[in-house]
């Protein structure tokens, strides 16, 4: 049997449950995932001055072939994108500016430094998202937007203001809004003697950053909370409650990163609550293993739950899905492809559930049938639908993409020293 025949058969199984498979595929094809550029070079960026990664985050591994410049990073992204079904967005950080060998500090970045990215995005039919980079910099050693030194705060405020202008530029050029997301590493290793003052300063810095109104047709802003990082174990200024309240009061988008909560706490459960009180919520889908380790996302329970909360609450256009993982111990192109395909796969899995029926069973208190159905669905011929979806999107099915990555590794990545 070929892919189409298997699809037709599988479709009948799902139709018995009242699921419109074609409609599900149609919906899926409209979803844009924001693919983070930093998986390709271990969050190094292209700044002229070499700076090591800081901010309490860490990339481990030294798999050969890391992208060393913009051309290589875009080439690797093109390879990855050619193996991922659908049209998506690429998420950049300020450190990916191209300054032609000129040292441009973070408070001096301008749209022109991202012109190559914009041209590339146009050529590729991609959208772009953006992040100011408030780490890996001498002025970020102690703190950034919450620093007690006014000059340092001013420096980072300027950086963030400029970042929003770059976001606006992306939006104008590409005809779709850019999400500009602020995350800061500020916090303390040991027990603070004052938790309030740094938060007051962060609030004040954010107010200044957002002073200028920017048309949401072009740029939308989000703020990302965190629980702790390496070296900031006891206190994080930009905590969950801080940003959730800030976002609510200031009409900003709150961003949930899957690795930024207590180890047994999951973001899937937070999505419906966010949707009840906000038009939009943003995600950094990641896989924390014992800490915020940013492992490549697998098709695990939590990824499926995240997808289900988006799909069954009819929120595909309200949840902004971004990825945030970085593993340097495996082929980086494979990491992108695997993680992004898993995200899309999880959405498809959720779209192929009889969500109305399952809701009804819960309302009626029929928890036995609810469990039976949810479990049996796990062995429905999902793979045949997924393969068909990959096929109509002209990307390889199953693990066939891996041989293409392997070939790319031999011909391109292994030559980088
Ligand atoms: C750090 C945050 C943040 C970064 C990226 C590189 O814990 O998750 O989103 O991973 O900005
Ligand atoms: Zn994140």
């Amino acid at each position: 049997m070929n892919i189409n025949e298997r699809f037709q058969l599988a479709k009948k199984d799902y139709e018995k449950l009242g699921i419109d498979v074609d409609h599900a595929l149609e919906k899926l094809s409209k979803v844009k995932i924001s693919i983070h550029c930093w998986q390709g070079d271990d969050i190094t960026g292209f700044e002229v001055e070499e700076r090591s990664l800081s901010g309490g985050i860490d990339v481990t591994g030294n798999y050969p072939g890391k992208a060393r410049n913009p051309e290589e990073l875009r080439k690797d992204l093109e390879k990855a994108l050619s193996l991922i079904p659908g049209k998506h967005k690429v998420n950049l950080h300020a450190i990916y500016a191209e300054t032609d060998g000129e040292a441009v500090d973070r408070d001096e970045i301008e749209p022109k430094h991202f012109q190559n990215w914009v041209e590339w995005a146009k050529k590729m039919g991609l959208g772009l998202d953006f992040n100011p980079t408030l780490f890996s910099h001498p002025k970020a050693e102690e703190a950034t937007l919450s620093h007690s030194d006014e000059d340092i705060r001013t420096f980072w405020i300027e950086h963030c203001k400029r970042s929003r202008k770059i976001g606006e530029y992306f939006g104008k050029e590409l005809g779709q809004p850019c999400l500009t997301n602020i995350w800061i590493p500020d916090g303390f290793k040991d027990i603070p003697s004052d938790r309030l003052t740094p938060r007051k300063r962060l609030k004040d810095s954010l107010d200044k950053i957002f002073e200028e109104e920017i048309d949401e047709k072009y740029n939308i802003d989000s703020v990302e909370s965190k629980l702790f990082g390496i070296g900031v174990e006891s206190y994080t200024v930009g905590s969950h409650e801080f940003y959730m309240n800030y976002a609510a009061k200031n009409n900003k988008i709150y961003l949930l990163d899957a690795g930024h909560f207590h180890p047994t706490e999951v973001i899937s459960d937070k999505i419906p609550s966010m949707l009840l009180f906000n038009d939009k919520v943003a995600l950094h889908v990641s896989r924390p293993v014992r800490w915020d380790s940013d492992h490549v996302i697998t098709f695990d329970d939590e990824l499926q739950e995240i997808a289900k909360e988006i799909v069954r609450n009819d929120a595909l256009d309200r949840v902004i899905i971004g990825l945030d993982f970085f593993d340097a111990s495996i082929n980086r192109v494979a990491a992108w492809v695997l993680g992004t395909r898993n995200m899309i796969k999880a959405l498809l899995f959720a779209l192929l559930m009889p969500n109305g029926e399952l809701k009804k069973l819960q309302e009626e208190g029929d928890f036995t049938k609810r469990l039976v159905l949810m479990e049996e669905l796990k062995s429905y011929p999902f793979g045949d639908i997924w393969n068909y979806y990959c096929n109509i999107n002209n990307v390889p099915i199953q693990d066939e993409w891996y041989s293409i990555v392997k070939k790319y590794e031999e011909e391109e990545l292994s030559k980088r020293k």
Side-chain angles (χ1 to χ4, degrees):
M1 252 193 289
N2 64 30
I3 298 172
N4 289 336
E5 288 161 346
R6 291 175 72 140
F7 170 70
Q8 291 305 333
L9 267 187
K11 201 168 141 179
K12 289 212 174 78
D13 274 353
Y14 286 99
E15 275 166 1
K16 272 188 245 154
L17 293 174
I19 297 161
D20 185 339
V21 176
D22 293 315
H23 186 59
L25 297 184
E26 175 68 26
K27 268 187 157 170
L28 186 63
S29 69
K30 298 199 176 102
V31 179
K32 283 184 200 282
I33 308 293
S34 182
I35 304 170
H36 54 312
C37 76
W38 52 91
Q39 165 62 70
D41 75 335
D42 313 340
I43 333 184
T44 308
F46 315 133
E47 284 182 317
V48 175
E49 279 164 65
E50 253 184 61
R51 285 162 176 157
S52 50
L53 183 61
S54 79
I57 52 178
D58 199 12
V59 185
T60 54
N62 53 2
Y63 200 88
K66 151 179 169 166
R68 298 162 301 183
N69 53 53
E71 292 71 32
E72 288 181 352
L73 189 59
R74 284 190 281 265
K75 198 170 174 192
D76 294 354
L77 270 166
E78 282 182 29
K79 184 49 75 178
L81 289 163
S82 74
L83 304 170
I84 295 164
K87 280 274 168 228
H88 302 284
K89 294 177 95 179
V90 165
N91 197 5
L92 299 176
H93 243 284
I95 49 172
Y96 292 85
E98 289 170 72
T99 60
D100 240 339
E102 191 197 329
V104 174
D105 210 349
R106 306 255 176 107
D107 61 343
E108 297 162 350
I109 52 163
E110 288 178 56
K112 68 174 186 204
H113 301 128
F114 293 88
Q115 201 188 326
N116 293 345
W117 281 110
V118 165
E119 270 156 29
W120 176 76
K122 281 184 184 163
K123 181 191 91 183
M124 298 285 296
L126 296 162
L128 289 176
D129 290 317
F130 198 64
N131 305 261
T133 312
L134 297 105
F135 52 85
S136 306
H137 189 284
K139 285 200 167 74
E141 262 161 34
E142 288 143 28
T144 62
L145 296 175
S146 77
H147 205 293
S148 54
D149 181 315
E150 200 189 334
D151 290 343
I152 294 195
R153 283 201 311 278
T154 306
F155 175 87
W156 290 115
I157 290 167
E158 182 62 24
H159 176 58
C160 291
K161 284 184 170 174
R162 283 168 179 259
S163 293
R164 296 180 73 224
K165 296 305 279 182
I166 291 162
E168 179 185 40
Y169 159 68
F170 288 173
K172 281 187 178 160
E173 291 289 324
L174 302 171
Q176 52 183 306
C178 164
L179 179 75
T180 298
N181 173 56
I182 298 182
W183 171 73
I184 64 164
D186 301 21
F188 292 120
K189 182 184 176 78
D190 224 328
I191 308 158
S193 50
D194 177 4
R195 291 183 166 86
L196 182 63
T197 306
R199 288 188 175 136
K200 270 189 184 158
R201 284 193 294 259
L202 175 57
K203 180 174 176 286
D204 180 67
S205 296
L206 292 169
D207 290 346
K208 292 193 167 100
I209 291 165
F210 296 131
E211 236 159 43
E212 184 183 344
E213 290 282 338
I214 295 183
D215 193 332
E216 299 202 336
K217 242 178 34 205
Y218 306 126
N219 182 73
I220 47 181
D221 303 294
S222 66
V223 285
E224 177 181 6
S225 72
K226 191 164 176 171
L227 179 63
F228 81 95
I230 301 171
V232 283
E233 287 84 358
S234 300
Y235 167 79
T236 292
V237 185
S239 62
H240 172 59
E241 294 74 12
F242 175 90
Y243 279 127
M244 204 164 70
N245 282 301
Y246 189 90
K249 289 252 178 191
N250 296 281
N251 206 18
K252 297 293 164 195
I253 297 169
Y254 178 68
L255 187 145
L256 293 159
D257 181 306
H260 290 191
F261 295 87
H262 286 279
T264 58
E265 207 176 342
V266 285
I267 62 163
S268 51
D269 184 60
K270 302 178 192 300
I271 294 170
S273 300
M274 293 308 298
L275 289 173
L276 263 183
F277 297 98
N278 298 276
D279 173 37
K280 289 202 160 67
V281 60
L283 307 180
H284 268 183
V285 185
S286 189
R287 180 166 57 105
V289 178
R290 303 192 191 280
W291 72 290
D292 182 28
S293 59
D294 292 295
H295 279 63
V296 177
I297 54 171
T298 54
F299 193 68
D300 61 7
D301 286 354
E302 173 57 1
L303 184 67
Q304 291 176 41
E305 288 304 313
I306 291 171
K308 284 189 240 171
E309 288 305 330
I310 301 171
V311 167
R312 65 187 169 205
N313 297 318
D314 202 16
L316 280 167
D317 54 351
R318 295 173 59 204
V319 181
I320 303 169
I321 308 171
L323 306 178
D324 188 10
F325 50 78
F326 27 93
D327 189 345
S329 74
I330 60 173
N331 180 305
R332 294 171 186 79
V333 177
W336 261 325
V337 178
L338 190 64
T340 314
R341 281 175 70 114
N342 277 337
M343 185 70 242
I344 300 166
K345 213 189 243 184
L347 291 169
L348 178 60
F349 193 83
L351 282 161
L352 294 174
M353 292 182 81
N355 292 308
E357 165 76 2
L358 285 165
K359 276 185 192 172
K360 193 163 146 268
L361 289 171
Q362 179 171 303
E363 287 299 300
E364 289 165 353
D366 193 345
F367 304 141
T368 312
K369 191 164 178 200
R370 179 183 68 176
L371 185 62
V372 168
L373 207 51
M374 290 201 300
E375 283 305 297
E376 288 303 336
L377 272 162
K378 291 179 180 171
S379 48
Y380 263 56
F382 172 67
D384 290 334
I385 311 273
W386 169 248
N387 289 341
Y388 174 81
Y389 184 69
C390 287
N391 198 240
I392 57 172
N393 280 282
N394 302 312
V395 301
I397 65 159
Q398 296 172 322
D399 52 335
E400 281 174 14
W401 60 267
Y402 182 63
S403 58
I404 299 169
V405 172
K406 200 65 199 162
K407 187 161 170 262
Y408 185 68
E409 179 175 309
E410 278 149 25
E411 289 169 1
E412 170 75 27
L413 303 176
S414 68
K415 306 223 162 91
R416 297 178 189 167
K417 288 280 161 339

